[in-house]
Amino acid sequence: MTIAATRRGFLTAAGAWATASLAGPRAVAAQGDAKVLLLGTKGGPRVNKGRANPSNLVVAANRSCVVDCGYGVTRQLIEAGVEAHEVRSILITHNHSDHVLELGPLVYTAWAGGLREPVDIWGPPPIKRIVASFLDSMAYDIDIRIEDEGRPDLRKLAQVHEFEVPGDGSVIVFERDSLKVSATKVRHPPLSHAYAYRFDTPGRSIVLSGDTTYSPELIALARGADVLVHEVMHLEGLDRLLSRVPNAPSLRKHLIESHTTTEQLGRVAAEAGVRTLVLSHFVPGDDPSITDAMWSEGVRKNFFGEIVVGRDLMMI
Ligand SMILES: [Zn+2]
Ligand SMILES: [Zn+2]
């Protein structure tokens, strides 16, 4: 992987900045280990200064897998030293806009950057319709560029694998080289399809929760994993957030029923027996008065392993 800019890179979990010229994300994970790079760690579709909207990159078995495509995913990848056209696998946890808003534009940008090989996109219904609608909206431009610039047809390169997970177990999404990716259904009402993903390599296992409330299915998927990246919600901070928005009552109801509080998260991590818990998808994600210690406090009541309070461009 060639990385040019000096500013590009990523944060280590200890908070040090690793420039991509020293070791790009894929080079770091080249030893049979999986690594996860947090691209955007703020939950929800609102766009602010500070944390970017949800997206992650898992690098394993020399493969770059984007998990979720919130607004800004392409720019965050570039900041980390990964060009859009290097991404061959995209997994979507669920079809809330903060997880898919930039899916189409990421694939389009990969194509604009010279993509000539298929990109595989996995996710729950109606992911097929979401991708097809985006490509349809860009048909005028795509047709012109095929004719004018000799590009392959993007509609044939974007391979969508829409799949359903039964409510009582996990499925294998794909197995390639030494990487196995599996999924389970999690609880994120009112959506009927929301998934968590597990990445297993010989050296390391990483689980990403997607959006979920306390979910026994997620605990089963994450059992014994080295790293669990899990969404988190801070209740007191949430109430401050809600005092600033017009649709507070219905938004609070949704958030309580479909997301995980800090105390609940400690239980999840302890019951799953994970080694390292990484907090991400922060709700609220734009309240600087909630310190890292405050995010960890509720989790620590139930979980005694390593806790990492995630930041954008942090690699674990
Ligand atoms: Zn979300
Ligand atoms: Zn969601």
Side-chain angles (χ1 to χ4, degrees):
M1 183 164 50
T2 314
I3 297 139
T6 51
R7 175 71 188 107
R8 291 177 181 183
F10 50 89
L11 276 172
T12 66
W17 183 258
T19 58
S21 57
L22 293 175
R26 258 203 330 223
V28 170
Q31 311 301 321
D33 269 1
K35 295 268 185 188
V36 57
L37 177 65
L38 311 178
L39 295 170
T41 56
K42 171 189 174 296
R46 292 194 308 147
V47 176
N48 316 80
K49 280 180 79 173
R51 295 181 187 277
N53 298 83
S55 61
N56 301 282
L57 180 76
V58 176
V59 282
N62 211 28
R63 174 172 291 270
S64 301
C65 304
V66 170
V67 181
D68 287 333
C69 294
Y71 184 76
V73 58
T74 312
R75 175 61 60 186
Q76 291 297 90
L77 279 169
I78 290 166
E79 289 292 331
V82 180
E83 301 292 337
H85 65 262
E86 292 180 75
V87 175
R88 290 285 182 281
S89 307
I90 301 174
L91 296 110
I92 299 297
T93 60
H94 66 295
N95 292 308
H96 263 143
S97 63
D98 54 324
H99 299 254
V100 290
L101 194 61
E102 204 171 305
L103 168 58
L106 172 61
V107 176
Y108 178 91
T109 307
W111 180 69
L115 181 79
R116 302 193 79 85
E117 317 214 331
V119 175
D120 290 302
I121 302 162
W122 286 270
I127 191 76
K128 211 163 189 154
R129 176 158 58 87
I130 288 169
V131 174
S133 302
F134 171 79
L135 292 171
D136 200 36
S137 77
M138 297 306 297
Y140 177 77
D141 174 276
I142 292 169
D143 289 338
I144 286 176
R145 290 187 196 274
I146 291 171
E147 179 73 25
D148 190 36
E149 300 173 6
R151 292 179 191 273
D153 190 341
L154 176 57
R155 289 157 294 212
K156 292 184 179 136
L157 297 184
Q159 307 269 335
V160 184
H161 312 277
E162 183 174 293
F163 69 103
E164 292 194 32
V165 180
D168 56 348
S170 62
V171 297
I172 293 175
V173 182
F174 66 82
E175 275 183 285
R176 281 187 198 156
D177 305 321
S178 56
L179 170 65
K180 180 174 89 173
V181 181
S182 39
T184 197
K185 201 175 213 177
V186 292
R187 301 181 183 193
H188 190 47
L191 280 73
S192 40
H193 301 284
Y195 303 158
Y197 290 108
R198 176 172 178 137
F199 295 77
D200 283 298
T201 60
R204 209 159 184 240
S205 48
I206 294 173
V207 176
L208 290 90
S209 71
D211 287 11
T212 182
T213 188
Y214 177 89
S215 165
E217 298 81 6
L218 181 272
I219 292 167
L221 183 78
R223 191 144 282 138
D226 294 296
V227 179
L228 169 62
V229 180
H230 202 292
E231 69 126 274
V232 66
M233 178 171 68
H234 196 279
L235 267 186
E236 296 82 48
L238 170 65
D239 285 327
R240 276 201 299 278
L241 165 85
L242 290 172
S243 67
R244 307 199 298 264
V245 300
N247 55 333
S250 52
L251 188 55
R252 188 176 204 279
K253 183 171 179 291
H254 161 75
L255 290 168
I256 298 285
E257 285 176 358
S258 55
H259 293 278
T260 305
T261 64
T262 52
E263 276 86 357
Q264 287 175 324
L265 178 50
R267 273 177 59 206
V268 169
E271 288 172 26
V274 299
R275 186 173 305 177
T276 300
L277 172 66
V278 181
L279 279 52
S280 191
H281 196 283
F282 293 91
V283 174
D286 55 355
D287 185 346
S289 72
I290 309 174
T291 62
D292 284 6
M294 288 159 74
W295 281 110
S296 302
E297 195 185 356
V299 181
R300 187 53 84 200
K301 288 178 189 164
N302 297 309
F303 176 64
F304 305 106
E306 183 188 21
I307 298 173
V308 176
V309 180
R311 294 190 184 290
D312 290 6
L313 301 181
M314 179 184 274
M315 178 173 269
I316 301 106

